[in-house]
Amino acid sequence: MFAIDLSNKNALVMGVANHRSLSWAIARALHEAGARLCLTYAGERLKSTVEELAPQAGGAITLPCDVTDEASVQALAERLTREWGSLQVLVHGIAFANKEDLEGTFVHTSRAGFFTALDVSAYSFIHVTGKLLPLLENSGASVLTLSYLAAERAVPNYNVMGSAKAVLEQSVRQLAYELGPKNIRVNAISAGPVSTLAARGITGFLGMQKHHAEKAPLKRNVTTEEVGTAALFLLSELVSGITGEILYVDAGYHMMGA
Ligand code: NAP
C-alpha cells in the first residue's frame, strides 16, 4: 500500500557528471521506482560518460544543458515539451564556484567569482523551474534541489558556496510559496559530505568528511544511495503534504550542539 510507484511519471535530473554524482544516485532511485528519465550534463566533456550511464536508468534521454547558456536551457525546455509535454519530477543537482573562491579568505571573494557561484548554484534553480513551469503545472509536480549545511553555518573553505546555498534554500521557500497553488511542491535535501567531483573541489574536503563521521550521531558519512532514496521519498506522493522543506540527510550531524 505504501510502495513508491512513479511509473508513467516523467523525471528530469540535472547535473550528472559521473557515477559518483548525487544526481546519478537520485536518477537510479527514480528509475527503480519506475519513472521515465531525462538526464542532463553540463557540456560535451561529460557526454560520453552520461551516455554510458543511461542504460542503467532505463535508457534515459541524455541532453546537454549548461545553465549559464540561455539557448541551452531553452533547447532543453523545447525538447521536453516535444518529447513528454509534462513533467512530474525536476531534480537540480548543480553547483559551481571558481577554485580560488573555495580556498583562502572569503573576505577577498571577487565580484565576478561571487556572481558566478550564485548564478550557477542558486539562480539556475529559479530559472530552470520557471522555464519548465508550463510542463510542471497541473502535473502534481515535485521539484528538488541539493544544499549543504554551509547555507546556515560557517564552514571553513566553503566560502562563497555557503552564500550560494543560503540563497538556494531561501529560493526553495519562496518557490514553494509561489508554486503551491499550482500543486507544485519544492523541497531541498541538505546532504552530508559525499566524495564527488564538486565536493573534492573544496579545499580540505577529506578532513571535513572525517570530522562529520566522527561527530555525527550515526558515526559515519552518508552514502550517495542514501541521498538517492531520501530524494525519492521527498519526490513521491508519500510526502504530498510537504513543501518548502530542507531535509537533512547527514547522519544527524546538523543537530549536534557540541
Ligand atoms: P558533481 O557530481 O560534481 O555534480 C555537480 C554538477 O553540477 C556537475 O555535473 C557539474 O558539471 C554541474 N554543473 C556545474 N556547472 C554547471 C553549469 N553551468 N550548467 C550545468 N551543470 C553544471 O557533485 P555533487 O556533489 O553530486 O553535486 C550535486 C549537488 O549536490 C550540488 O549542488 C552540490 O553542492 C550538492 N551537495 C553536494 C554534497 C557533497 O558532499 N557531495 C553535499 C551537499 C550538497 P561539471 O562537472 O561539468 O562542472
Side-chain angles (χ1 to χ4, degrees), residues 87-134:
L87 194 60
Q88 288 73 43
V89 170
L90 167 59
V91 176
H92 172 275
I94 291 172
F96 177 80
N98 293 322
K99 179 80 182 136
E100 62 269 26
D101 292 321
L102 295 175
E103 56 194 11
T105 47
F106 177 59
V107 74
H108 294 119
T109 306
S110 67
R111 177 172 284 120
F114 186 85
F115 288 152
T116 295
L118 269 86
D119 183 19
V120 177
S121 317
Y123 176 70
S124 68
F125 180 57
I126 305 165
H127 184 54
V128 166
T129 303
K131 274 280 175 192
L132 296 171
L133 197 53

Side-chain angles (χ1 to χ4, degrees), residues 15-17 21-22 42 45-46 65-68 93-96 120 146-148 165 191-194 196-199 205:
V16 179
S21 296
L22 297 184
R45 190 173 48 82
L46 301 173
C65 184
D66 177 346
V67 291
T68 63
I94 291 172
F96 177 80
V120 177
L146 296 170
S147 190
Y148 176 59
K165 293 302 190 192
V194 177
T196 61
L197 265 185
F205 172 77

Side-chain angles (χ1 to χ4, degrees), residues 9 31 75 82-83 101 109 119 123-124 131-132 134 157 166 168 185 195 216 239 244 246 255 258:
K9 307 273 188 207
H31 166 62
R82 277 199 312 276
E83 201 80 39
D101 292 321
T109 306
D119 183 19
Y123 176 70
S124 68
K131 274 280 175 192
L132 296 171
N157 297 318
L168 183 69
R185 297 186 298 111
S195 184
V239 291
I246 313 296
M255 59 82 191

Side-chain angles (χ1 to χ4, degrees), residues 8-68:
N8 297 318
K9 307 273 188 207
N10 300 321
L12 169 63
V13 180
M14 305 186 73
V16 179
N18 56 37
H19 71 283
R20 292 182 197 279
S21 296
L22 297 184
S23 286
W24 174 240
I26 297 170
R28 281 212 320 226
L30 288 166
H31 166 62
E32 290 293 323
R36 205 178 290 119
L37 282 160
C38 173
L39 310 175
T40 71
Y41 50 91
E44 281 302 307
R45 190 173 48 82
L46 301 173
K47 186 176 193 294
S48 58
T49 307
V50 178
E51 282 178 352
E52 277 168 30
L53 290 173
Q56 296 171 51
I61 301 169
T62 58
L63 294 174
C65 184
D66 177 346
V67 291
T68 63

